[in-house]
Amino acid sequence: MARGTPARDAPGDDDAGSVATGSGRFGRPGRPLRRSSFLVGFTGALGVLLAYTVFLGIRNAGGILVLVVIALFLAVGLNPAVVRLRRWGLPHGLAVTVVALTLVLLIVAGLVALVPPVVTQTGQFIEQLPSYVEELRRNRTVNDLVVRYDVMRRVQELANADTVGRALGGVLGGAQLIFGTIFRVLTVLVLTIYFLAYFDRLRDLGYALVPRSRRQRVSLIGDEILTKVGAYMVGALSIAVLAGATSFVFALVVGLPYPFALAVVVAVTDLIPQIGATLGAVVVSLVGFATALPIGIACVVFFVLYQQVENYLIYPKIMRRSVEVNEVAALLAALLGVALMGVVGALIAIPVVAALQLILREVVLPRQDRR
């Protein structure tokens, strides 16, 4: 075929063209709708509506999502125990069953040991709270601060047993609180067992979503993050239990009222990074000052000494194989976690920061250096 001579159409081209452009009976097609400003605006509006719908769904399901996050972190923390049992020769299902039964037994034992005295002593503490406030008022230094900032009237209103009862919503509100708590605990327990049983599958599924060229590196970094998160959670729980047990023994020695309730407060608040131990110490010290001035001073001295031992001896020894996070980043993460998700946000703040720190060190910063 000579150069410049137009090629002949292949057989069937006319049919294909007629199919693509239509028969022509109803006129020539117009411009594609994808170039229409109306279609662009309509698509954008649908996108905004979809985004707002997703936002409403997440907000309405916020309580359930928090339970899922708690269960997921518990599963990450308990998975090393499952791995250890599997190394000892137990099948995966049996290892998960042993860990789940151990968790259930610990929860039941804790409830049997703590709930009756905590409920009794907490009720007595609420009833006696106005008298404790009155005792604090008799202290000259405290009284000067109270008069200066007009705190007494507000504290007395909040400390009134009737106000507390109304805040709980009476008998119906108390029953809803109890059954709601039981439902949440059971939900977290069931989800934790489910995540433990399918932990390897869920992890492999997450890695399978990554492109093959990056899957190995993502798997190594992801496994390291899971290891650090699990080690941190086990270490934090151990430190909190130790703090609660030590506080309980101290309360019995000095004669503090409601030792079980105060020990639980110390253990729970000690789980909050950076500021939790101080909050627990303040609560116990206030009860000590309300009981007697020497007991209050003893509480302050005890918690100052114990926090030094915990910060410089216990915490480094337990956490030396866990995470290493900058103190400023840990404090900001804890405050942000409290603002977003309450106590749960504070608990998961440090592992999240540790994960982000590892990603920055291994992925982001090397990529920036290569540019």
Side-chain angles (χ1 to χ4, degrees):
M1 181 174 60
R3 181 178 301 177
T5 303
R8 296 181 59 186
D9 294 337
D13 282 354
D14 293 339
D15 296 338
S18 62
V19 171
T21 59
S23 63
R25 293 176 55 193
F26 304 101
R28 298 183 60 183
R31 299 179 59 184
L33 289 178
R34 63 169 177 256
R35 298 178 183 178
S36 171
S37 59
F38 171 78
L39 182 60
V40 172
F42 183 73
T43 305
L46 285 179
V48 172
L49 181 60
L50 178 61
Y52 182 68
T53 304
V54 172
F55 166 75
L56 291 180
I58 294 176
R59 188 184 65 177
N60 295 333
I64 300 297
L65 292 178
V66 169
L67 298 181
V68 172
V69 171
I70 296 174
L72 185 59
F73 269 81
L74 287 176
V76 171
L78 294 173
N79 188 64
V82 176
V83 174
R84 180 68 60 88
L85 292 176
R86 292 179 62 183
R87 290 177 181 174
W88 290 350
L90 272 70
H92 178 71
L94 184 58
V96 172
T97 302
V98 170
V99 173
L101 288 178
T102 304
L103 178 62
V104 172
L105 290 176
L106 289 176
I107 293 175
V108 172
L111 292 176
V112 171
L114 295 179
V115 168
V118 166
V119 170
T120 302
Q121 296 177 6
T122 302
Q124 296 174 355
F125 177 74
I126 292 175
E127 292 177 358
Q128 297 296 326
L129 192 56
S131 62
Y132 288 151
V133 173
E134 216 33 64
E135 290 291 335
L136 288 174
R137 187 177 182 180
R138 295 176 184 176
N139 186 290
R140 180 174 300 178
T141 303
V142 175
N143 191 39
D144 291 341
L145 293 175
V146 167
V147 172
R148 180 178 303 177
Y149 295 102
D150 192 23
V151 177
M152 181 54 61
R153 177 179 56 82
R154 303 174 185 176
V155 173
Q156 284 180 331
E157 292 177 356
L158 294 176
N160 190 291
D162 295 334
T163 303
V164 175
R166 288 195 300 269
L168 293 177
V171 177
L172 181 59
Q176 291 178 348
L177 178 63
I178 293 174
F179 286 108
T181 303
I182 294 175
F183 171 77
R184 294 184 185 93
V185 171
L186 291 178
T187 302
V188 170
L189 183 60
V190 172
L191 288 176
T192 302
I193 296 174
Y194 174 82
F195 288 146
L196 277 177
Y198 296 95
F199 188 87
D200 293 338
R201 295 184 184 179
L202 294 175
R203 181 186 58 189
D204 294 340
L205 176 61
Y207 293 156
L209 298 176
V210 180
R212 182 183 296 273
S213 60
R214 302 181 180 181
R215 190 171 301 166
Q216 181 180 6
R217 179 169 171 79
V218 171
S219 300
L220 294 175
I221 296 177
D223 290 343
E224 182 68 17
I225 291 175
L226 293 177
T227 301
K228 288 183 177 296
V229 171
Y232 171 80
M233 294 187 64
V234 173
L237 184 61
S238 303
I239 294 173
V241 171
L242 181 60
T246 307
S247 301
F248 174 71
V249 173
F250 169 78
L252 290 179
V253 171
V254 300
L256 273 174
Y258 323 114
F260 270 108
L262 294 177
V264 172
V265 169
V266 171
V268 172
T269 55
D270 200 71
L271 289 171
I272 304 175
Q274 304 297 322
I275 59 176
T278 303
L279 293 177
V282 169
V283 172
V284 177
S285 299
L286 288 177
V287 175
F289 278 114
T291 304
L293 181 60
I295 295 179
I297 296 175
C299 291
V300 173
V301 173
F302 166 77
F303 280 107
V304 169
L305 294 178
Y306 180 79
Q307 288 185 17
Q308 301 306 312
V309 174
E310 181 181 287
N311 293 335
Y312 295 102
L313 181 61
I314 300 175
Y315 193 90
K317 187 176 181 62
I318 294 180
M319 292 294 189
R320 62 186 176 184
R321 295 182 180 180
S322 182
V323 297
E324 295 180 1
V325 179
N326 182 272
E327 294 183 357
V328 177
L331 178 59
L332 294 177
L335 295 176
L336 185 60
V338 170
L340 293 177
M341 301 178 62
V343 177
V344 177
L347 296 180
I348 68 176
I350 301 300
V352 170
V353 171
L356 294 177
Q357 181 176 284
L358 180 63
I359 294 174
L360 285 174
R361 185 175 66 248
E362 297 294 334
V363 178
V364 178
L365 296 181
R367 181 178 299 175
Q368 295 298 108
D369 292 338
R370 289 194 298 266
R371 290 184 176 181

